[in-house]
């Protein structure tokens, strides 16, 4: 790379984070061609080998990038991902696959909630919110639909969550119900206004990832992991190469890694 820079083939790029690294990789991919190596009296076979090898290592460097280099993730959350699910690099997160997908077009009425076994969506109006004190403070939001009411319980980020919920506004709640003291509730569910949901909803299935209680309290939810994964994929265009022979992907009609 230094040789090419010396000859003016690659513009210098400041080392200021993963986005600039990605820009540098793209520039290198565009600038390095076998013809560039002919200036060095390199054979065509050697040139193609060199370019392939260099791009391979550039790709590996990208996938080995520490997860905290994502612009949308804090160092604290990166450390939680490392400790809780052993995700420390871009490759680790891309290979932390969803265990199932949810049809985001379906909603469950509050009265129909009958199990703790699965994730569901509920839509309802915020009618009450209060901070309760005991062994530790907790925020309780009461949500209502045409069939009943249910409580949303939060133990972390109480002020921010309380400010996010406006009484009289409809919200979409996503999470796994918990049966406690004779009734169902949601502990640290994902939420957004119904208006926001309608504006951003797409006709697709939503990935559900394995998470831990510590991740949930730090707002490292399925939605957050999907966001991080999408950011990596947007940076990895043309950087993830297929590892199966083409005849296999064609014969079995498989989606490729690319």
């Amino acid at each position: 790379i230094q040789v090419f820079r010396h000859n003016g083939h690659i513009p210098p790029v400041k080392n200021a984070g993963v986005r600039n690294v990605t820009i540098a990789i793209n520039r290198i991919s565009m600038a390095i061609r076998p013809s560039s190596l002919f200036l060095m009296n390199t054979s065509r076979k050697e040139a193609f080998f060199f370019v392939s090898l260099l791009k391979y290592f550039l790709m590996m460097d990208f996938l080995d990038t520490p997860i905290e280099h994502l612009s949308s993730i804090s160092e604290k959350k990166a450390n939680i991902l490392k400790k809780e699910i052993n995700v420390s690099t871009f490759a680790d997160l891309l290979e932390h696959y969803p265990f199932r997908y949810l049809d985001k077009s379906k909603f469950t009425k509050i009265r129909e909630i009958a199990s703790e076994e699965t994730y569901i969506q509920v839509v309802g109006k915020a009618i009450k919110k209060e901070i309760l004190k005991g062994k530790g403070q907790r925020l309780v939001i009461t949500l209502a639909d045409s069939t009943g009411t249910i409580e949303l319980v939060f133990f972390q980020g109480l002020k921010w969550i309380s400010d996010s919920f406006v009484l009289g506004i409809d919200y979409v709640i996503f999470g796994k119900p918990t049966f406690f003291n004779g009734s169902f509730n949601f502990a640290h569910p994902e939420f957004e206004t119904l208006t926001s949901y309608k504006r951003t909803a797409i006709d697709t299935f939503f990935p559900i990832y394995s998470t831990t209680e510590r991740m949930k309290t730090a707002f490292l939810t399925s939605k957050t992991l999907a966001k991080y994964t999408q950011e990596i994929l947007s940076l990895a265009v043309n950087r993830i190469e297929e590892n199966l022979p083409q005849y296999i992907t064609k014969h079995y009609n498989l989606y490729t890694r690319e």
Side-chain angles (χ1 to χ4, degrees):
I1 295 173
Q2 292 302 324
V3 169
F4 288 125
R5 280 192 175 148
H6 178 73
N7 287 282
H9 291 289
I10 300 176
V13 179
K14 293 181 180 179
N15 182 19
V18 68
R19 292 186 183 280
N20 280 343
V21 171
T22 304
I23 293 172
I25 289 174
N26 288 333
R27 288 181 179 177
I28 290 168
S29 297
M30 294 173 64
I32 297 179
R33 293 289 184 268
S35 58
S36 304
L37 297 177
F38 295 156
L39 299 175
M40 302 167 63
N41 296 320
T42 306
S43 70
R44 176 175 292 273
K45 184 176 181 181
E46 290 172 335
F48 275 106
F49 173 77
F50 177 82
V51 171
S52 299
L53 188 63
L54 180 57
K55 288 186 176 181
Y56 171 79
F57 281 111
L58 288 172
M59 179 187 71
M60 291 303 295
D61 287 343
F62 175 80
L63 292 176
D64 289 338
T65 303
I67 196 69
E68 57 265 30
H69 286 192
L70 276 181
S71 63
S72 58
I73 188 171
S74 66
E75 184 177 351
K76 179 180 178 181
K77 289 186 176 181
N79 288 332
I80 292 175
L81 288 177
K82 293 175 186 178
K83 293 178 181 178
E84 296 296 306
I85 56 175
N86 198 31
V87 166
S88 58
T89 66
F90 286 4
D92 291 337
L93 185 56
L94 291 178
E95 293 175 358
H96 181 66
Y97 302 112
F99 64 87
R100 73 182 185 91
Y101 287 82
L102 174 74
D103 184 350
K104 293 284 281 185
S105 66
K106 294 183 179 180
F107 293 91
T108 301
K109 294 292 186 181
I110 292 176
R111 186 178 294 175
E112 296 173 349
I113 299 175
S115 172
E116 299 178 283
E117 298 300 319
T118 186
Y119 288 86
I120 60 174
Q121 282 191 139
V122 172
V123 61
K125 191 182 302 293
I127 62 172
K128 181 181 179 181
K129 61 180 179 179
E130 56 183 338
I131 294 180
L132 304 177
K133 297 181 179 180
K135 292 183 179 180
Q137 286 189 339
R138 65 185 187 276
L139 171 66
V140 179
I141 307 288
T142 302
L143 200 77
D145 68 6
S146 60
T147 68
T149 62
I150 193 168
E151 291 184 343
L152 318 177
V153 185
F154 300 90
F155 300 95
Q156 301 286 336
L158 306 189
K159 186 180 186 307
W160 178 82
I161 296 173
S162 179
D163 291 343
S164 299
F165 274 93
V166 179
L167 299 184
I169 298 297
D170 289 323
Y171 290 86
V172 174
I173 307 301
F174 170 75
K176 183 183 289 188
T178 301
F179 192 74
F180 181 74
N181 278 348
S183 62
F184 284 101
N185 63 53
F186 287 99
H188 273 277
E190 298 177 23
F191 62 90
E192 63 180 316
T193 64
L194 181 59
T195 301
S196 172
Y197 174 87
K198 289 179 177 179
R199 185 172 60 247
T200 59
I202 54 177
D203 296 327
T204 188
F205 289 101
F206 183 77
I208 309 299
Y209 293 90
S210 295
T211 57
T212 65
E213 288 302 318
R214 187 181 179 194
M215 289 173 63
K216 291 177 183 177
T217 57
F219 301 103
L220 285 168
T221 61
S222 289
K223 184 176 181 179
T224 309
L225 295 181
K227 175 185 175 183
Y228 294 160
T229 300
Q230 186 58 47
E231 183 176 351
I232 293 174
L233 291 175
S234 69
L235 295 171
V237 176
N238 299 323
R239 297 271 61 83
I240 301 178
E241 297 182 359
E242 181 54 61
N243 54 9
L244 289 176
Q246 190 177 42
Y247 75 88
I248 291 181
T249 58
K250 284 188 174 181
H251 178 76
Y252 293 101
N253 195 27
L254 302 175
Y255 284 106
T256 65
R257 283 163 57 98
E258 298 171 321

